[in-house]
Amino acid sequence: MSPQTYRPYVPPEKSMAEFTLKAVLLGVVMAVILGAANAYLGMKAGLTVAASFPAAVVAMAFLRFLGGTILEENIARTTASVGEALVAGAIFTLPAFILAGAWDTLHYFPSTVIMMIGGVLGVLFVIVLRRTLVVESDLVFPESVAAAELVKAGQGGQTGVTYLFGGMGLAAAWEFLKNEYGPQIIKEKVEFFIGFGRSRIGILQEKIEYAGGVLIETPAAAPILMGVGYIVGTRISAILFSGAILGWPFMVATAVFLNPSLVDTLGPGESMIDLAKSVHANQIKPLAVGTMIVAAFYTLWNLRTSLVTGISKAFKDFGAKAAGAPAAQRTDVDLNLKKVFTVIALFAIPMFFLYYYFCHSIPGALVLTAVMMVLGFLFAAVAGYLVGLIGSSNNPISGLTLSTLLISAILMVWLGVTGVGGIAAVLAIAGVICCAAGIAGDMMQDLKVGHMLGGTPWRMEIGEIIGVIVAASILALPLWGLMSAYEVGSDKLPAPQAGLMALLAQGIVGGEMAWPLIIVGMMLAFGLIFMGAPSPMLIAVGMYLPFYSTAAIFVGGLIRWLMDLRLKRARASAPERTRAENVGILLSSGFIAGESLMAVLLAFVFLGGEAALGEGRRVIPVLTDSPSAWASLLIFALVIYLLAFLPLKAMKRGGLPSTHVE
């Protein structure tokens, strides 16, 4: 349907309350909350999920109680989703400062500036591209369509807030009982080592004795991870889990078995479990990073035609947009483009000082600023186009960021800016561009939802800018709390993408690259590509993450498969299937938000307790020295019921209808 004939849900000529104080305040509060939740999820699972669905449901529930309109709900949802997008960019890069040794803890001011500059620029770049990608293109925007339908369906009275908050409450209570800073009465996972015995194998004229085995871990009893698996689906969770199988039972076991001397390195009190984990951390992770490097560029290469088409179209219409012709309808008015370009140019000043703060080199800061301006706009267009093509949750911003990091690192070495300062400067530009790309993709999705609902673009754009400024000012605090309490880079908070960025920045700028393992990982990636393996990047992330984490995500994917099977057997119609899927997604979103927010809260309770009572002193006492592993089985049964059986009951009751309004 052409832009001239398209009629949004709220017609352009209709006037109703939209950009109000209550809508913006609700959106800002949700941006911070959902951002903190996704920060924990992203560093724990290596994945983030779009916040549009839970934000839309909460906005509908609260604003309906306050007498709000559908356009106020749209503003609140738009402002709220900023938090998830901004933190997605932050967690891919900010932990890398610690992992690379540039910082000993997260620094509030530079972290906030990185998020704020990147986020606001992401919004400004998208304003230039909105008409081209949202109105005039034929991109499908799959998640935008789903979010818009959910909002329109909510006008019939069913918001689904009960499912969202019910899932939050259950997951929060469970996290409180199992978290290491809570009473810790439930054990999240069980691990043990199965030895293969000893073998004598002849190599040349010598008989060598080998010993080894497999480290076995049960899936984590974590609703947050099962919820992620449910949302991303059976296929993606299975691909991720295949990487875990490749990395742990195969590669770790092989590395231990083929290096007989490793067993002799065990010290007093250390076991084969400790050895297996050390091998994974120091050998398999760098290998997985090599796989990620090739996989990231392979992902972009596969999208080359779509990217070139989208960017070409954006630049083709660039001159027409710069002319600033006034729009005739409310639903087609952006912020003034002359002012937008002026602000973009002015942002070069704080960017220069930011990069100079890190590298203490005027030529280095000037080069990085120029790189940011060029790549920032280019990658904003790429991210926006990919969201329209494959959805926000599948937007490969880590690949875009990796490209930026490699270009910046090579330029820094060429300019002679090396050492810790050069590493930090490279990570800073990667952080700005990652935040910009994350926000650009999210905002393009939001603008498409607003386009379908009848929202006013310039009001949504202001809402996004406000959301970015407030969220950037606050989100560094929960990030600091999480990294301080749970030790970023450990099994509790592995932060795989940040580990990749840190390793590359250290390797290229600092000269500390574990090249043999990186190259072996690259060869593995080429092998996966040549055999036609689906998503080598996901396989590499699965290799990098703890086994119990990816196994729990796979359990969620299996639960989704079970629900789909039951829907097929019930011969559910398309509207009935949509009802059931909406219930499952809302419950899963509740699991993610509830468990994440409780983990953030307990981290601050622990840190505050140590500050007030002394190091090692706890506010919440541990109730038992032997947490129960058997009790953890309860959550698996509950999640299977809630995600595979409850949605079908809700479907039959007629909740959360799918209403298409032409």
Side-chain angles (χ1 to χ4, degrees), residues 86-170:
L86 190 64
V87 88
I91 61 174
F92 287 172
T93 52
L94 293 183
F97 283 90
I98 299 173
L99 297 174
W103 293 346
D104 55 352
T105 186
L106 192 73
H107 294 181
Y108 172 82
F109 181 73
S111 299
T112 298
V113 172
I114 287 171
M115 287 190 284
M116 197 173 293
I117 291 176
V120 173
L121 280 175
V123 175
L124 298 177
F125 289 146
V126 164
I127 293 172
V128 180
L129 301 166
R130 183 195 67 86
R131 166 167 280 277
T132 300
L133 296 182
V134 170
V135 180
E136 297 175 351
S137 74
D138 56 358
L139 296 171
V140 294
F141 283 93
E143 293 179 6
S144 298
V145 173
E149 290 302 322
L150 183 66
V151 173
K152 289 189 284 186
Q155 300 307 297
Q158 294 287 340
T159 65
V161 71
T162 303
Y163 300 111
L164 181 67
F165 283 110
M168 286 180 64
L170 173 64

Side-chain angles (χ1 to χ4, degrees), residues 167-444:
M168 286 180 64
L170 173 64
W174 187 260
E175 177 65 15
F176 178 77
L177 295 176
K178 73 177 176 66
N179 190 282
E180 63 180 305
Y181 300 126
Q184 208 172 352
I185 63 176
I186 294 172
K187 195 171 185 178
E188 185 178 47
K189 63 182 176 68
V190 175
E191 59 185 15
F192 48 92
F193 192 88
I194 300 178
F196 292 159
R198 292 184 174 271
S199 303
R200 290 178 61 84
I201 300 175
I203 301 292
L204 297 179
Q205 287 78 38
E206 185 177 356
K207 289 283 187 178
I208 301 176
E209 188 174 88
Y210 295 84
V214 177
L215 173 63
I216 301 295
E217 289 181 323
T218 60
I224 181 175
L225 297 175
M226 289 183 272
V228 169
Y230 185 91
I231 290 175
V232 302
T234 308
R235 177 176 170 78
I236 290 178
S237 61
I239 295 171
L240 190 70
F241 186 56
S242 71
I245 294 174
L246 184 62
W248 286 92
F250 175 66
M251 288 187 176
V252 171
T254 302
V256 172
F257 189 79
L258 295 182
N259 290 274
S261 60
L262 286 177
V263 178
D264 299 329
T265 64
L266 291 174
E270 293 179 329
S271 66
M272 292 297 289
I273 292 178
D274 300 313
L275 177 60
K277 289 183 176 181
S278 181
V279 167
H280 181 263
N282 296 294
Q283 292 186 328
I284 308 306
K285 276 188 175 183
L287 191 148
V289 166
T291 308
M292 284 188 215
I293 294 171
V294 174
F297 285 105
Y298 177 66
T299 301
L300 297 180
W301 172 256
N302 279 341
L303 297 169
R304 64 192 183 281
T305 303
S306 300
L307 296 182
V308 171
T309 301
I311 295 170
S312 300
K313 187 170 179 58
F315 279 106
K316 180 181 177 182
D317 294 347
F318 186 77
K321 286 185 65 65
Q329 295 182 321
R330 171 186 61 82
T331 54
D332 200 29
V333 181
D334 292 294
L335 290 175
N336 184 279
L337 282 179
K338 289 183 179 179
K339 294 179 180 178
V340 168
F341 289 129
T342 301
V343 174
I344 290 174
L346 290 175
F347 259 83
I349 298 173
M351 272 194 291
F352 170 82
F353 285 107
L354 174 68
Y355 299 139
Y356 182 77
Y357 166 82
F358 285 111
C359 69
H360 303 293
S361 166
I362 291 178
L366 286 172
V367 168
L368 289 177
T369 302
V371 169
M372 167 60 219
M373 282 298 185
V374 175
L375 294 185
F377 181 78
L378 177 66
F379 287 168
V382 169
Y385 188 82
L386 291 179
V387 164
L389 192 69
I390 58 179
S392 178
S393 297
N394 299 312
N395 189 5
I397 61 173
S398 58
L400 303 178
T401 308
L402 179 62
S403 304
T404 303
L405 187 143
L406 291 174
I407 293 170
S408 304
I410 292 170
L411 288 172
M412 288 298 96
V413 173
W414 178 64
L415 290 170
V417 182
T418 56
V420 175
I423 293 171
V426 167
L427 291 175
I429 189 173
V432 170
I433 287 194
C434 198
C435 290
I439 288 291
D442 169 79
M443 187 178 174
M444 200 65 77

Side-chain angles (χ1 to χ4, degrees), residues 480-498:
W480 168 81
L482 287 168
M483 293 182 205
S484 300
Y486 298 112
E487 190 184 348
V488 66
S490 68
D491 279 356
K492 292 175 287 187
L493 212 63
Q497 289 87 351

Side-chain angles (χ1 to χ4, degrees), residues 461-476:
E461 290 154 8
I462 290 178
E464 290 261 356
I465 292 173
I466 293 173
V468 165
I469 293 172
V470 175
S473 302
I474 297 174
L475 283 174

